[in-house]
């Protein structure tokens, strides 16, 4: 039931011309659009990291824009799918089976980085480690674009099957939580608004209790030189 709700319910209309549109919740389109429209300008010579999204809608959308795209994921099947797609399309897309908490790239290797719908699946300690690793591989002034579940009563942690966690320290319920998890490390400074803006709207249904609603948030963070 929540999958149907989160795809727009009975009123959802598929996007014309997109194959298997019913496999993509509507909010993923908005997250990809928001990240690419409001993020840094990309050029063919740009080298970018997609942390945790191999073979995803966003990873392919990013690579199709032309930059040298490197995508990491723990799922070997997704990495194989990403490599197959790169061969079929000719995109400058490289996929790796790699933990975003331990990135096997040189310091200051990337111009910019993205992580779409990933950080909400990490606990507080893992988020901090992921931010440190991304900051390490970003060039000075590089921008990290993040989207994440926001306002949810729990966290769907990484691992096989649903693994919902309600530990207070791991939640992303309000602007204070966002500041604590993403802006307190001193590694990044926000681009645009100095404070995270919550419009108060909630669009998505929580799987364990559809009566509880949540939304998604986005951040654009510049690596502090």
């Amino acid at each position: 039931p929540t999958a149907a709700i989160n795809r727009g319910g009975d009123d959802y209309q598929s996007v014309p011309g997109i194959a298997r549109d019913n496999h993509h919740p509507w909010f993923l389109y908005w997250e990809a659009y928001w990240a690419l429209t409001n993020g840094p300008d990309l050029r063919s010579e740009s080298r970018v990291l997609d942390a945790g999204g191999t073979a995803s809608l966003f990873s392919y959308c990013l690579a199709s824009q032309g930059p040298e795209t490197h995508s990491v994921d723990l799922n070997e099947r997704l990495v194989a799918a990403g490599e197959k797609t790169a061969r079929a399309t000719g995109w400058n897309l490289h996929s790796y089976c790699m933990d975003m908490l331990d990135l096997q790239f040189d310091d200051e290797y990337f111009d910019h980085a993205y992580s779409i719908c990933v950080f909400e699946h990490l606990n507080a300690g893992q988020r901090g480690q992921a931010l440190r690793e991304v900051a390490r591989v970003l060039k000075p002034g590089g921008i990290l674009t993040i989207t994440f579940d926001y306002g949810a009563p729990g966290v769907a942690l990484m691992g096989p099957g649903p693994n919902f966690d309600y530990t207070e320290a791991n939640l992303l319920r309000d602007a204070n939580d966002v500041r604590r998890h993403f802006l307190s490390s001193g590694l990044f400074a926000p681009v645009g608004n100095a404070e995270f803006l919550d419009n108060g709207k909630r669009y998505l249904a929580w799987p364990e209790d559809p009566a509880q609603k949540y939304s998604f948030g986005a951040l654009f963070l510049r690596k502090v030189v």
Side-chain angles (χ1 to χ4, degrees):
T2 54
I5 293 172
N6 290 344
R7 284 191 167 86
D10 294 335
D11 295 330
Y12 179 72
Q13 297 180 11
S14 295
V15 179
I18 296 183
R20 305 178 74 186
D21 177 64
N22 62 337
H23 285 216
H24 302 292
W26 64 268
F27 55 88
L28 289 181
Y29 295 121
W30 282 106
E31 289 183 87
Y33 175 82
W34 191 260
L36 291 173
T37 302
N38 295 282
D41 292 332
L42 297 177
R43 301 176 176 86
S44 59
E45 62 269 23
S46 298
R47 180 186 289 156
V48 298
L49 169 68
D50 180 21
T54 301
S56 67
L57 176 70
F58 180 79
S59 183
Y60 292 156
C61 187
L62 180 61
S64 72
Q65 305 300 303
E68 179 184 319
T69 303
H70 299 258
S71 183
V72 306
D73 202 289
L74 290 173
N75 189 318
E76 293 181 358
R77 181 177 60 85
L78 294 179
V79 171
E83 293 173 341
K84 181 179 179 180
T85 298
R87 290 192 297 270
T89 60
W91 292 335
N92 194 357
L93 172 63
H94 311 271
S95 301
Y96 311 86
C97 191
M98 188 184 300
D99 192 338
M100 63 187 289
L101 306 184
D102 184 21
L103 295 171
Q104 303 301 302
F105 298 105
D106 292 338
D107 294 356
E108 301 182 5
Y109 189 72
F110 295 102
D111 295 293
H112 303 293
Y114 300 81
S115 192
I116 306 300
C117 273
V118 176
F119 270 84
E120 69 265 31
H121 300 300
L122 306 176
N123 63 36
Q126 291 170 328
R127 288 174 194 153
Q129 177 61 23
L131 287 175
R132 288 190 291 273
E133 275 295 275
V134 173
R136 180 184 64 79
V137 301
L138 268 183
K139 294 178 181 178
I143 293 176
L144 167 62
T145 299
I146 302 173
T147 69
F148 52 91
D149 288 353
Y150 174 72
V155 176
L157 294 177
M158 290 189 305
N163 184 19
F164 297 111
D165 177 85
Y166 297 91
T167 305
E168 189 85 6
N170 295 331
L171 300 183
L172 290 166
R173 302 155 302 176
D174 55 34
N176 288 329
D177 286 341
V178 171
R179 187 180 307 109
R180 176 165 52 89
H181 285 281
F182 297 115
L183 300 175
S184 63
S185 67
L187 298 170
F188 295 95
V191 177
N193 295 331
E195 297 293 330
F196 182 78
L197 176 63
D198 181 352
N199 65 7
K201 297 180 180 180
R202 302 292 183 264
Y203 304 98
L204 309 176
W206 184 243
E208 289 198 328
D209 181 3
Q212 297 196 62
K213 307 296 184 184
Y214 66 104
S215 186
F216 70 88
L219 289 172
F220 302 91
L221 304 174
R222 189 183 303 277
K223 178 181 174 179
V224 176
V225 180

